[in-house]
Amino acid sequence: MSTSERIAFTLKVNGTDYPVDVEQGRNLLSVIRSEIGLTGTKEGCDDCECGACMVLLDGQPVNSCSYLAVQAQGRAITTVEGVIDGDEMHPLQRNILEEGGVQCGFCTPGMILSAHALLARNSSPSEEEVRIGLSGNLCRCTGYAKIVAAVQRTATELHA
Amino acid sequence: MSFTIARTVDEALAALTAGATPIAGGTDLVVGARHGKAALPANLVAIDRLDELKAVVETKEGVSIGALVSHHAIETHPLLASAYCALADGSALVGSPATRHVGTLGGNIMNASPAMDTGAPLTVMGAEVELRSTRGNRRMPIEQLWTGPGRTSAEPGELCVAIHLPKPGPKANSAYVRLEYRRAMEIAVVGAAAFVALADDGTIAALRVGLTAVAPTILTCNLVEQIGRPVAAAAEHAAQMAMEQCTPISDVRASVGYRRHTVGVMARRAVEAAARRAAGEKIAIPVNRAVGIGAAS
Ligand SMILES: Cc1cc2nc3c(=O)[nH]c(=O)nc-3n(C[C@H](O)[C@H](O)[C@H](O)COP(=O)(O)OP(=O)(O)OC[C@H]3O[C@@H](n4cnc5c(N)ncnc54)[C@H](O)[C@@H]3O)c2cc1C
C-alpha cells in the first residue's frame, strides 16, 4: 500500500492523549516508540510471534507490531511505562527482578504486560495458567521458570 | 485511501457498499499485509466497536454467536464450553492470549484458511452463517461459505453478522483436536472435529466429522451409515474415511503421507473424545491437552 497518505488522530497512552499524524498503515509499535517516544515497548520479531511488543488495549494484551495505530484510537493503551506507580515499581516488576527473571531484559516489558492482563482476569492462576497466559511471549535467556515464579509470587502478594 | 471506525452496523454496511474492506481484530489482515501476502486494502472500515455483534445469545433453537465474539470469549463462555465443546476447543488453540483476545470468530471464518481452527467444529455442529448487506440478510449452511483457500461465497458489500448453532440434543456433544508441534503460536498441521450423538444403548445415533488443513477447504462427512454401531468401530471407520477423503499438500510443516496418516489419528481421537463428552464426561477445554497432543510443558 502507499505509505505516503497520512492521517491525524489521538492516541491515549498511559492516560495521556498524544496527537499523532502518521501513515494509515503504520503499526502501533512504531508510533509508540518513534512518535510518542516511549521506548519500553520493544520490537522483536516484528511478526506477532515473540511478544516483545505487547501492550494492553483496554486492558487486553495486543501485539502492537501487527496492530494498526489508527485502529487504537479511542482505546486506553497501556505500555510498560504505565504499570509503574509513581516512583514505585509494580509488584510484577519488583518480583521479576528479585526472582532473577531478567537477564538480557528484552522480553521483560512484554512479559510484564501479559502477566498484568492475566492477573486482572485471574487473581490466583495455577502454574499451568501462568504458562498459558505467557505463551505469546518468548524469552531466550531465563528458561521461563523464574518468570513464572515471579508472576505466582505477585499473585500471592496481591492476595495477602 | 480511507480508514473509518463504524459506530453502527448500518455505518459498516454503507462503508462496505462504498468498497471498503472490514477489519475486525486485524490478526489475519494486518499480519498478512506485513508478510507481503496481500497488500493492506486502501479503504478500511473498522468493525471492532460494533457491540451488537459481540453477544452470545441462547435461543430456542440453539445459540447465536455475533461475528465479533473473540476466541477468548468463546473459550471461556460457560454455555459454549459445555454444550458446543468443539468450537471452544478450536478457539482455545488459536495463537496466544493476545491473538485470542483480538481475533474474532467472524474474522476466522471469513479469512477462509483451510487451517482455520473453528471451521471443522462449526461444520460438524451444523452451523449456519448469517451475512448482511444493504440489500438484506441471508443465512446458509457454513460449508457453502468457503469456496477455496482464502475465498468465500460472500458478495461484495456483505458483512458476516452471526453464526448460528442448533442445540446438540440429548446425549450429544463434540470435540476438536489438532496435531501441533508446540503448545502455542501454532498452526494446525492437520485437525479433526467430531459431533457425536449416542443412543440409549451407547451406540452411535449421529456422527459427523470435519477435517482441517487437508483440503482446499474444510472437509465434512455425515457418517449416517455408522448409526447403530459401537463408538469404537465408528471411530475406526472415521479414521479410515479421513485418510481416504483427504487431499493434503506437502509443505515445510508436513508431507502428504504424514498428513494423510495423522488426520486419521486425529479423526479417531475426535470421535472418541466427542463420544465421552456425549456420555456426560467433562473433559477440559481444549481437549488437545487431555488426549496428550502437543509437547508437554
Ligand atoms: C500469531 C498468530 C497466531 C494465529 N494462530 C491461529 C490459530 O492457531 N488458528 C487459527 O485458526 N487462526 C490463527 N490465527 C489467525 C487469526 O488470528 C484468526 O483467523 C482470527 O480469528 C482472525 O480474526 P480477526 O478478527 O483478527 O480478523 P481480521 O484480520 O480482522 O479479518 C480477517 C478477514 O476477514 C474479513 N472479515 C473480518 N470480519 C468480518 C466480518 N464480520 N464480515 C466480513 N468479513 C470480515 C476481513 O476483511 C479479512 O479479510 C493466528 C494469527 C496470528 C497473528
Side-chain angles (χ1 to χ4, degrees), chain B residues 102-155:
Chain B
V102 178
T104 63
L105 182 60
N108 198 232
I109 66 166
M110 297 307 287
N111 192 56
S113 160
M116 71 178 114
D117 283 309
T118 67
L122 292 174
T123 62
V124 299
M125 290 189 287
E128 291 194 343
V129 58
E130 182 177 348
L131 301 176
R132 190 177 300 166
S133 72
T134 49
R135 301 178 300 281
N137 254 33
R138 62 177 176 132
R139 252 170 95 150
M140 59 180 161
I142 198 154
E143 301 85 293
Q144 292 172 19
L145 179 69
W146 304 305
T147 54
R151 290 201 308 275
T152 71
S153 59
E155 309 268 339

Side-chain angles (χ1 to χ4, degrees), chain A residues 48, chain B residues 22 24-29 71 94-95 104 108 116-117 160 178 186:
Chain A
C48 234
Chain B
T27 60
D28 275 312
L29 205 62
H71 294 292
V94 169
T104 63
N108 198 232
M116 71 178 114
D117 283 309
C160 172
R178 76 175 189 191
E186 181 59 308

Side-chain angles (χ1 to χ4, degrees), chain B residues 206-245:
Chain B
L207 173 61
R208 291 189 294 273
V209 172
L211 306 177
T212 309
V214 290
T217 63
I218 302 294
L219 273 185
T220 322
C221 298
N222 190 358
L223 302 178
V224 283
E225 74 287 354
Q226 298 304 307
I227 293 173
R229 299 192 70 199
V231 169
E236 194 47 47
H237 179 86
Q240 288 304 323
M241 182 280 309
M243 288 190 283
E244 282 158 22
Q245 300 281 311

Side-chain angles (χ1 to χ4, degrees), chain A residues 82-135:
Chain A
V83 304
I84 207 158
D85 182 12
D87 285 341
E88 284 288 305
M89 272 194 278
H90 187 276
L92 271 170
Q93 294 174 302
R94 189 169 21 77
N95 287 330
I96 208 167
L97 275 178
E98 287 181 4
E99 291 286 337
V102 180
Q103 286 185 32
C104 87
F106 199 79
C107 74
T108 309
M111 287 286 180
I112 301 254
L113 288 167
S114 285
H116 201 280
L118 169 68
L119 294 181
R121 62 175 185 268
N122 179 354
S123 57
S124 50
S126 65
E127 179 186 337
E128 174 73 3
E129 287 168 333
V130 173
R131 286 184 180 272
I132 293 171
L134 300 180
S135 61

